[in-house]
Amino acid sequence: MKNMLIASAVAAVLSIGPAGAMAASADDLAQIREQLQGLMQRVDKLEQENTELKAENENLKAQDDYLKAETKGLRKDAATLASDAGKVKGADWAGRITAKGDLRYRYEWIEDPTRQGVVSGLQGVNETEQSRHRIRARLGFDAKITDTLLVGLQVATGGDDPRSSNQTLGGASSRKAIGFDLAYFDWKFATWGNLIGGKMKYPFLRPGQSLFYDGDVNPEGLAMQFNRGMFFGSAFGFLVDERNNAARSSTSSSTPATTTLTNCIAEAGRTCSKDVYTLGAQIGARFPIGSSTLVAAVGYSDLKNGQGQRPFYNNNANGNTLTGPFSGLAYDYNIIEGLAEFNTQVGTLPLQVWANYAQNEDPDDLNTAWGAGVLLGKASNYRTWEAGFGYQVVEKDALFGQVIDSDFGDGTTDTEGWVIRAGWAPVRNTSLNATYFINSRFVDVPVNAVYGTKTDYDRLQLDFNMKF
């Protein structure tokens, strides 16, 4: 462009011709030259600006290509992050669930003179003895729904037996029954309190190895627990049985209910249409004594609408007194309970000493239970061990027979005797345990005229426990 402008300017000057050139003054030539020079400067400036615009255009094009590439990369990264976020969310949910379980293999030997006559017509059979192999399997999980709400579920062998999750091996390798063992929520509504509902573990403290309550019984209902400083406690309401006037007797699934007998005796102003439930509460404290701890608590429970009712599972009173034409429970069970547990250290070994006392306020006689024991060591970690013993007395109507331990004295009241136990953990999460019951049954009330009172009852259990 610059060369074309110069050529045009020269052509314009030459077109003047000689005459014109002579007529033109020196000033005119100087002015033309000055204009030509300014024009050339403007041309140079335009060329420079054009070059800069081309460079900027190239730069913008490069930036556009870069931005397109970056956008594509960001989209890919966003998709990856979304996928990772989903994985993190799934991992977070999985982290809120804790699985747990255990398996126990047991060999059990029982000697009970009252078994004579149970097996009849078989020669060479010692009817007083029984031996069997049993398993107990439990599998469950705890799910943390929120920071304050937990849900627990667990299934176990044993079918519908409320006091045992053991399953005896045999039966031509038949399938073993499994049922819901736990199904509850636990809401921590305050730093000091929890509300629990469903089928739950006992919400109150049981001392040491006390056998007032069977460890396999998981009551059903609602409970509130509190812990504040050294103090603790609970209040609970458990449903025992739903009943009405036309209700059939409660039995296991293997024993069909009958419609010919009512569930209770309508006497002394009682009705047969009310549900049976237990209300109770416990309060206690933990007292530090140097490096040791003393725990003490008192409690009260009341079986509502139970008196006069026929027994609640398999129609078995488990030793409680029965009366009336349909064998209803003779007494109410308004039980006051006290307990103490002292935990200390002997060298490197934990030592626990405990005691438990209960009295039923309804009957005037045979209404007291007590137990005490010692446990040294703890079979839990690698090559740790434990050993202990306890003594217990449960009079006939001291405790509600539906919930007492099913092993001591064959799971009935009116019993007394020793429990000797030992355990060793060969590796972590496993243990070998031995428990020997040296008991007496029918201590105060004879089973019949043949056996009289204080019938011996021995039971040996050898367990291999595995936890995971």
Side-chain angles (χ1 to χ4, degrees):
M1 176 181 284
K2 178 179 179 180
N3 293 332
M4 290 181 62
L5 290 174
I6 294 173
S8 299
V10 172
V13 172
L14 292 176
S15 64
I16 298 176
M22 293 178 61
S25 66
D27 292 338
D28 292 335
L29 289 174
Q31 185 177 3
I32 292 171
R33 189 181 297 110
E34 182 179 355
Q35 291 176 355
L36 183 59
Q37 186 176 359
L39 181 62
M40 291 175 64
Q41 289 177 350
R42 289 182 60 189
V43 170
D44 289 338
K45 186 176 180 180
L46 288 172
E47 286 186 346
Q48 183 179 357
E49 289 177 353
N50 184 51
T51 302
E52 290 177 355
L53 287 173
K54 287 182 178 180
E56 289 179 1
N57 186 50
E58 293 294 330
N59 188 33
L60 289 174
K61 183 179 180 182
Q63 289 183 6
D64 181 61
D65 293 340
Y66 172 77
L67 289 175
K68 288 180 179 179
E70 283 294 302
T71 301
K72 184 178 180 181
L74 288 173
R75 287 174 179 171
K76 184 177 180 180
D77 291 343
T80 302
L81 288 174
S83 176
D84 291 343
K87 293 178 181 178
V88 170
K89 184 177 180 180
D92 177 65
W93 176 246
R96 291 174 175 267
I97 299 177
T98 303
K100 57 184 179 180
D102 65 86
L103 174 66
R104 181 179 69 195
Y105 189 97
R106 166 176 289 177
Y107 168 77
E108 187 171 53
W109 170 83
I110 301 171
E111 184 174 21
D112 180 7
T114 64
R115 284 177 53 86
Q116 290 182 357
V118 174
V119 181
S120 59
L122 297 179
Q123 296 181 355
V125 176
N126 184 353
E127 299 172 5
T128 68
E129 293 187 11
Q130 179 187 13
S131 64
R132 56 189 177 182
H133 294 255
R134 316 189 85 188
I135 59 170
R136 182 190 70 184
R138 298 183 294 193
L139 180 63
F141 65 87
D142 293 332
K144 194 172 183 181
I145 307 302
T146 68
D147 291 339
T148 59
L149 180 62
L150 179 142
V151 168
L153 296 174
Q154 180 171 287
V155 294
T157 52
D160 60 1
D161 189 341
R163 293 196 298 165
S164 178
S165 50
N166 293 302
Q167 195 75 55
T168 301
L169 300 181
S173 301
S174 59
R175 305 291 179 191
K176 307 308 176 187
I178 295 178
F180 259 107
D181 194 37
L182 294 170
Y184 67 93
F185 70 85
D186 186 342
W187 174 39
K188 190 171 184 62
F189 61 86
T191 57
W192 51 266
N194 293 60
L195 177 66
I196 308 171
K199 188 171 183 61
M200 69 189 80
K201 289 289 186 182
Y202 292 113
F204 50 83
L205 177 67
R206 296 179 295 148
Q209 291 75 52
S210 172
L211 300 177
F212 284 6
Y213 300 91
D214 192 288
D216 280 338
V217 172
N218 294 320
E220 303 167 3
L222 289 170
M224 189 188 78
Q225 294 177 320
F226 79 88
N227 283 276
R228 193 152 194 170
M230 62 185 292
F231 298 101
F232 66 89
S234 62
F236 51 87
F238 301 144
L239 181 66
V240 177
D241 207 11
E242 183 182 2
R243 298 204 163 182
N244 56 58
N245 285 320
R248 298 180 296 173
S249 58
S250 296
T251 63
S252 70
S253 58
S254 61
T255 306
T258 62
T259 57
T260 57
L261 298 177
T262 59
N263 280 326
C264 70
I265 307 161
E267 60 180 355
R270 293 189 300 272
T271 64
C272 299
S273 60
K274 295 184 178 179
D275 293 341
V276 183
Y277 55 95
T278 298
L279 297 178
Q282 183 188 71
I283 187 168
R286 297 178 176 88
F287 303 95
I289 305 175
S291 59
S292 306
T293 304
L294 173 64
V295 182
V298 294
Y300 177 81
S301 64
D302 182 10
L303 180 67
K304 307 293 289 185
N305 306 320
Q307 188 175 7
Q309 299 270 23
R310 299 176 67 216
F312 305 98
Y313 180 78
N314 272 344
N315 293 321
N316 187 346
N318 300 318
N320 290 153
T321 301
L322 299 175
T323 188
F326 300 117
S327 298
L329 292 174
Y331 300 108
D332 198 358
Y333 289 87
N334 304 320
I335 299 171
I336 298 174
E337 183 180 355
L339 62 89
E341 181 182 291
F342 180 69
N343 292 282
T344 188
Q345 201 84 5
V346 177
T348 59
L349 296 175
L351 174 65
Q352 183 181 83
V353 182
W354 60 271
N356 210 176
Y357 177 85
Q359 185 176 74
N360 183 6
E361 295 298 289
D362 190 30
D364 296 326
D365 193 18
L366 304 179
N367 63 348
T368 301
W370 65 270
V374 176
L375 183 68
L376 178 65
K378 180 68 174 177
S380 57
N381 294 324
Y382 172 64
R383 290 188 177 180
T384 54
W385 58 270
E386 64 184 37
F389 62 90
Y391 191 85
Q392 180 170 287
V393 174
V394 180
E395 293 182 339
K396 190 168 181 63
D397 293 299
L399 300 173
F400 182 38
Q402 303 287 303
V403 297
I404 62 173
D405 184 80
S406 63
D407 296 327
F408 187 91
D410 200 28
T412 65
T413 61
D414 198 13
T415 55
E416 65 180 22
W418 295 91
V419 181
I420 302 171
R421 62 181 77 242
W424 181 62
V427 295
R428 186 175 176 84
N429 296 326
T430 67
S431 66
L432 300 171
N433 296 83
T435 308
Y436 189 36
F437 297 84
I438 309 173
N439 307 148
S440 296
R441 301 179 66 197
F442 314 109
V443 175
D444 297 305
V445 180
V447 59
N448 54 43
V450 175
Y451 297 105
T453 58
K454 278 205 132 174
T455 303
D456 292 336
Y457 180 85
D458 294 334
R459 189 172 194 149
L460 173 65
Q461 296 171 339
L462 301 176
D463 298 334
F464 180 31
N465 294 284
M466 297 150 279
K467 297 180 179 180
F468 55 91

